[in-house]
Amino acid sequence: MATVLMCRRFPRLCRVTAFSTTAKCKAESGSGKRKQEKEANPDTTSTGTESVATIQLLKPLDYRVLYNPSAYAKSKAASQQHAAGNSGQALGEAFTSPGAAQAQHTASSQALPPVTDALPKPKPKPLLKQTILTDFSAVQTREEAERIKSELHDSKEDPRVFQKGRPEYRSLSYDRSEPVETLPLEEGDLILHSVAELKDSQSPGTIADYFCKLSRLPVEQHAALVSKPAFNALCRCAVRNIQLLSTSDLISILKACVRLVVPATHPLLNACENEFCRRVWDMNLDQLLLVADCWRCLERSVPSYLSILFSYANMHWKDLTLPQFVQLVYIIGEGRRSPADLTQKMESMILKYFDSFTLEEVGAICLGFFKSLSDISDHVMRKIADRVSLQMEDMSTYALVNVLKMLRYARMDHLPLLKELGKVIPAQIPSINIQGIMHITLTCSSLHYFDEGIMAAVAMSLPSKVAYCRSKDAAKFLWSFGCLDYEPPNEEEFYSSLIEQMHKKLHEFWKFPEHLLTGLLGLAFVRRFPEELIDYALRDEFIQKARGSKYELKKDLFTLSKSVEIECPSYQGRRLPPQLYQEMTEMVLNFAEQEIYVRPEIVEAASLLERMLGGPEYVKKHMILPHTRSSDLEVHLAMDGQPIPFNLQDPVADKKLKDIGISLTDDLMSQLIKGRSNSQSPVGMEKEVRTPGQETGKETQTGDHAALAGGALLTDAPSQVEPKLGHCPEAPPSLALNLQPRGVKLAIQVSNRNHYCCSSKRLLGLHCLKRRQLQRLGYVVVELPFWEWFPLLKCTRLEKLSYLHYKVFHPALLSRA
């Protein structure tokens, strides 16, 4: 039933498995009946009307990052979160900006009706009943408000939570929570009147005092104050006297500007920045860090000031106290700048204070390094991960997520931490902010670490939170689940909710094209092809936008378009232009020549296969599917097991074909049998280790038997056992047709660790996609798994030949061929 629901939402969602037409028709007829009943009984819609009215008060999120400091914090009120969960679906419409309306035609049946239509005229109610309903509506609104508050993210305030852990930070940072006595409006008016009358005759101390007092006016008066002529006159007076102001007065004025939320481009701030740059070497480090923190609160970019600050810190780095050091790393991260000469010194400071850091400070340090793209040594990162793995339950999830970000950036698969994550985090997923969940999921996929408990918890929690997903979040979720080749128990609800959110966020993808391609590739890994989104991604305008991105997106376009071509033959939408196909194919093949074909494990396998089969014309080292970006060794076998020469384009193979197979003597046979690896079965080796020309007629049978045997050549990975995938005009749809009149086409895969999840034999999504597509094109996949082939590289040549002979002339194939 869930599958049918997805079809109704997305009529052009192509998946390789077939849908039930009968079930779909029944569902559509049922939907029509429900619609008629709904029209006949308009009162039935009243249960959701209050939430609709509430939604209209919310502003669309677009791509802003807004949430409160407790967004990631562990919640002890899980029951409240669950109670608020029922309102999550209704809130989805509130988080779609108006520009997305035209992009949502595929999901229009799910849209909420207009408020005027949804709210029938209320009938007169008794006063008591009306009061109860009003109270219930208020409670529902409060629950929704709490849910929204727990989901939204404030990128300015959340990273500053560590500052609450030590009193020393009060002198290094601007504290918004510091109590301030409110100034009466009358006194504010007197100050402004005095400024207007006296103008330039104000002393520097009086100017600073006026700023401090005016900043204590009620918050709702601040916007009006900043636009008043008298306040602008005070700002001009401060600019004219700025060099006469003491450093402490100048800092007081800057802090007043933070309280008043003065625009970052205000002329007063320009003058303040220039003056602080001039005074840096006369200030102490506490003052320098406080000023830098104020600039951050004002959201003003001050690269010149930061450069001087970093130079100062570089000279005095040994004198940094623990709070000064952590605050400096925070400033470095928020400025997105990594001073190269400070990096090694910062690592020394981490080691110096490591045992004294709070867990929040550890998270702040990781976030600072992550945001500034600062490298961290494996030794220091491992030390941090070791501590976190032992104290994870004591960390806020916000600090933990920051550590995971840095772990991901350092590409460190720290198994003790990841295993502890699998024990601690699943129970916390429902109470974690959606962006925190995204980063946890993305860390697992980036490090190729699969934990079903984490992934299942994310999948079950996400549909009720999907309305809070930015385009980036939805794309990363789809990529992570596809990369790990995991389809959760609620897969239809999970994927349909994310695809629907992708439709709603379609307007964002024009600004962030990489996110659309990321999400679509994640879907392709698990055989899901939302045709309208694919058609949008392959538009000429979008392709040009993607090509102009700072990211390399042409490879993703190439992989997506070719995958649709192979796996979704009914697709009638746009395709990648032929010239781009050619360009990308040449690029990938050139890369393979330089980086892949030269790898020792591939060179050795190709060389030995040529020797075993009779020459280079029997083996082709190339990319059968260039869009999957990995190499293959292609071999053709006749129905009687004889290798077929086909690689006639190879310059070495372009000669008169002749049988140059290996002559097997009794002595060589004995050595091959005795030299077999312990991991390989010796059963039937006397029959297996024969040159193809020595096969007996007894072993030659029908092509159907050989085709069935071809399935035994697949790797042991369970993800590769595929059902029939439907008709594809370019290739036979099933292994029963893998044998062409000339025999079997083998695609031999020399795998490595990067093809699998960490410490497991679970194949990653891209390589599942590749092997699935090879099968659709009529190939039988044979794997030389790294856990078998790599150890053999150190063994004798006879042992390697024996292993390859066993793989190519598989007993199950030869016994039925």
Side-chain angles (χ1 to χ4, degrees), residues 660-675:
I660 53 171
I662 304 170
S663 298
L664 293 181
T665 64
D666 292 340
D667 182 54
L668 181 55
M669 284 281 292
S670 177
Q671 290 184 56
L672 285 173
I673 295 170
K674 292 179 181 178

Side-chain angles (χ1 to χ4, degrees), residues 107-125:
S108 59
S109 62
Q110 300 299 316
L112 293 174
V115 177
T116 53
D117 296 334
L119 293 172
K121 293 182 179 180
K123 299 177 181 179
K125 301 181 181 70

Side-chain angles (χ1 to χ4, degrees), residues 2-3 6 13 15 19 487-497 528:
T3 304
M6 185 179 68
L13 174 65
R15 194 175 181 197
F19 294 124
E487 297 198 50
N490 63 332
E491 61 177 286
E492 296 304 336
E493 181 188 21
F494 173 80
Y495 281 111
S496 63
S497 66
R528 293 174 184 267

Side-chain angles (χ1 to χ4, degrees), residues 167-220:
E168 294 91 335
Y169 288 113
R170 293 173 188 168
S171 63
L172 307 175
S173 60
Y174 177 83
D175 186 3
R176 291 183 185 274
S177 63
E178 181 182 356
V180 177
E181 184 180 353
T182 303
L183 186 77
L185 294 177
E186 297 78 7
E187 191 171 343
D189 291 338
L190 288 175
I191 291 172
L192 293 175
H193 181 72
S194 174
V195 170
E197 282 191 348
L198 299 177
K199 294 183 179 179
D200 295 342
S201 59
Q202 307 288 351
S203 67
T206 303
I207 294 171
D209 184 57
Y210 281 173
F211 270 102
C212 291
K213 287 182 177 179
L214 290 173
S215 70
R216 292 193 284 110
L217 285 169
V219 174
E220 58 271 15

Side-chain angles (χ1 to χ4, degrees), residues 34 63 159 410 609 636 701 709 764 790:
R34 285 194 297 273
Y63 206 79
L609 283 171
H636 292 187
Q701 297 179 14
L764 294 173
F790 279 42

Side-chain angles (χ1 to χ4, degrees), residues 423-441:
K423 297 177 184 176
V424 172
I425 212 66
Q428 297 180 17
I429 289 293
S431 61
I432 299 177
N433 165 283
I434 193 68
Q435 293 178 39
I437 298 175
M438 182 272 287
H439 280 294
I440 291 169
T441 312

